Amino acid sequence: MTVFNLYIFGRNGNCLYYTEWNRKQHLDMEKDQEYKLMYGMIVSIKSFVSRISPYDMKDGFQTFKTNKYKLHFYETPSGLKFIMNTDLSVPNIKDVLQQIYSSIYVEYVIKNPLHVLGAPITSDLFKTKLDDYVRGLPFFPVKVS
Amino acid sequence: MAIFTIYIINKAGSLIFHYDHQKTRPEMEKTFSYPLELILKVFDDRIVVAFGERDGIKVGHTVLQINDVPAEGRFLKDKRDILEVLASEENYPLSIKFGRPKLTSNQRIMLASMFHSLFAFGSQLSPESHSSGIEVLETDTFKLHCQQTMTGIKFIVIADPRQSGTDILLKKLYEIYSDFALKNPFYTLDMPIKCELFDLNLQTLVEQSERLGLNVM
């Protein structure tokens, strides 16, 4: 069990924050390019899913998995997008992403008067709080086997 | 428990087969008086609800018919513009039927090639090396299962999130494809599949696996 990385996107598609823990493969492209690719993929998936769904949706797209990783997606009504990549054994972690939003992002970014809304997050406090929270998750440790 | 749709996409990303198992797009009919409480707008050459959910009519639903006259795009079958009909007070009360927009075959082809590229992005953006493309995609209303064969053909099953036994279904689909489509001398590779035996066998298979899924639960 492990967590690979986390992306936070603002409502107009800019990457507010990116961090990684146990990522093994890096794309040979600029980080900016990678964020754009990721955001583009998520937006396309959202549109794809809403059109192909046989019923009206509430939450819409939640996760997808390949044979190596699982991507978890959570979007707030204000358009903020949280994307976390984990390995396949991790169950549905919607509540974890919600927790990151409500008790870390809101507390240490929104309540910080120095933060400019929509700009990348530079706060060290946010960084350490997020890191502590994710490292404390039950599915964080890398399996020793 | 249900299997909704099956798609087969060739290695170039074009749709070569689709089969709708359950046609359950909800429809709502309601009589309205002037003025309309819903805000409608034109989207994709259709009249879509933009705001004001009520009585089972949701944002994103399109106008399907007015006073039993079916809609065709932005117009009614008798060539009247829907927005003009709705704007004039003397037409009311009106009985309007709303529903989720049906997918046209052009849209299906577009969605298939869209998934083809999403599949590739999924493997490219992987944090671990040698990742496959998207195998399972989950939402609150359905689960999409995708299996790519060695030859690059993708079999896609769209099913209820609780439907079980989809792995076996995907495997069997490939079997049926190789038996009844590939062995058909009139079938050209990578072209749309129009084989009667294939359709028949696929239908029985889907019905079977739906029941099987029920037994497992």
Side-chain angles (χ1 to χ4, degrees), chain A residues 4-5 7 23-25 27 29 34 37-38 41 44-45 47-69 85, chain B residues 4 7 24-26 44 58 61 100 103 110-111 114-115 118 121-122 124-142 144 158:
Chain A
F4 296 123
N5 51 7
Y7 299 82
R23 186 171 176 173
K24 283 162 198 126
Q25 178 190 253
L27 304 176
M29 59 168 80
E34 185 192 312
L37 199 62
M38 177 56 96
M41 179 175 80
S44 312
I45 287 182
S47 138
F48 171 79
V49 152
S50 72
R51 274 189 275 181
I52 213 159
S53 169
Y55 301 110
D56 298 302
M57 291 195 296
K58 274 204 194 75
D59 302 329
F61 168 54
Q62 291 173 334
T63 80
F64 77 66
K65 58 184 178 193
T66 74
N67 63 349
K68 291 282 179 182
Y69 77 105
N85 289 324
Chain B
F4 302 127
Y7 290 101
T24 46
R25 298 238 166 192
D44 230 7
K58 297 265 165 60
H61 281 187
R100 273 184 71 76
L103 290 173
M110 201 198 76
L111 287 173
M114 199 164 159
F115 184 77
L118 288 176
F121 280 146
Q124 213 192 347
L125 283 166
S126 167
E128 269 205 275
S129 48
H130 307 297
S131 171
S132 72
I134 296 171
E135 283 181 345
V136 180
L137 189 147
E138 208 172 337
T139 73
D140 55 342
T141 52
F142 71 91
L144 180 149
I158 293 175

Side-chain angles (χ1 to χ4, degrees), chain A residues 61-137:
Chain A
F61 168 54
Q62 291 173 334
T63 80
F64 77 66
K65 58 184 178 193
T66 74
N67 63 349
K68 291 282 179 182
Y69 77 105
K70 192 169 176 183
L71 179 145
H72 306 260
F73 173 70
Y74 169 68
E75 185 176 17
T76 68
S78 55
L80 209 66
K81 294 173 182 66
F82 291 83
I83 296 155
M84 190 183 255
N85 289 324
T86 66
D87 72 332
L88 295 173
S89 54
V90 175
N92 193 341
I93 52 158
K94 196 185 165 202
D95 50 327
V96 169
L97 293 177
Q98 230 153 13
Q99 195 70 23
I100 292 177
Y101 168 62
S102 64
S103 51
I104 304 177
Y105 179 80
V106 171
E107 291 299 322
Y108 302 106
V109 177
I110 295 300
K111 292 189 180 172
N112 176 1
L114 296 175
H115 174 71
V116 185
L117 215 60
I121 300 163
T122 46
S123 154
D124 278 336
L125 188 60
F126 171 77
K127 201 174 161 180
T128 44
K129 288 285 176 188
L130 180 68
D131 197 62
D132 288 351
Y133 178 71
V134 174
R135 281 180 196 279
L137 290 171

Side-chain angles (χ1 to χ4, degrees), chain B:
Chain B
M1 225 65 50
I3 289 162
F4 302 127
T5 318
I6 287 169
Y7 290 101
I8 302 177
I9 302 175
N10 75 7
K11 58 176 175 287
S14 51
L15 187 66
I16 55 171
F17 181 82
H18 78 85
Y19 167 69
D20 277 327
H21 187 59
Q22 299 226 337
K23 299 177 183 75
T24 46
R25 298 238 166 192
E27 292 180 352
M28 298 295 156
E29 191 153 14
K30 195 173 149 44
T31 312
F32 289 91
S33 53
Y34 191 80
L36 208 62
E37 300 97 328
L38 301 159
I39 296 177
L40 303 173
K41 65 172 182 192
V42 182
F43 177 75
D44 230 7
D45 211 36
R46 279 198 274 225
I47 309 295
V48 180
V49 179
F51 182 77
E53 297 197 348
R54 50 172 312 188
D55 304 321
I57 299 166
K58 297 265 165 60
V59 166
H61 281 187
T62 56
V63 175
L64 296 176
Q65 63 180 45
I66 298 179
N67 286 347
D68 295 325
V69 184
E72 281 177 346
R74 295 182 49 185
F75 299 93
L76 288 175
K77 207 163 185 172
D78 50 15
K79 304 281 180 252
R80 286 181 298 165
D81 189 312
I82 292 179
L83 287 182
E84 276 170 24
V85 172
L86 295 175
S88 49
E89 196 174 346
E90 64 265 28
N91 289 331
Y92 286 83
L94 278 173
S95 157
I96 312 174
K97 191 188 255 182
F98 289 95
R100 273 184 71 76
K102 292 202 166 54
L103 290 173
T104 62
S105 32
N106 271 335
Q107 280 172 319
R108 284 182 204 272
I109 291 168
M110 201 198 76
L111 287 173
S113 55
M114 199 164 159
F115 184 77
H116 184 75
S117 45
L118 288 176
F119 186 89
F121 280 146
S123 89
Q124 213 192 347
L125 283 166
S126 167
E128 269 205 275
S129 48
H130 307 297
S131 171
S132 72
I134 296 171
E135 283 181 345
V136 180
L137 189 147
E138 208 172 337
T139 73
D140 55 342
T141 52
F142 71 91
K143 218 169 171 177
L144 180 149
H145 305 261
C146 174
Q147 191 197 38
Q148 192 179 31
T149 67
M150 296 294 269
T151 48
I153 292 176
K154 283 193 259 302
F155 291 86
I156 294 169
V157 170
I158 293 175
D160 190 278
R162 289 159 301 167
Q163 174 76 37
S164 57
T166 43
D167 307 0
I168 307 159
L169 173 63
L170 283 166
K171 220 175 269 172
K172 287 269 164 81
L173 273 175
Y174 188 29
E175 247 175 67
I176 288 181
Y177 167 77
S178 20
D179 277 348
F180 299 103
L182 292 185
K183 287 180 189 168
N184 184 332
F186 300 105
Y187 175 67
T188 12
L189 206 65
D190 285 346
M191 292 306 275
I193 303 170
K194 288 193 182 76
C195 310
E196 210 176 300
L197 267 179
F198 177 75
D199 291 354
L200 260 154
N201 279 281
L202 182 121
Q203 207 169 334
T204 22
L205 171 68
V206 172
E207 272 156 22
Q208 228 172 39
S209 60
E210 240 180 1
R211 258 178 284 129
L212 206 75
L214 274 172
N215 287 345
V216 173
M217 289 301 281

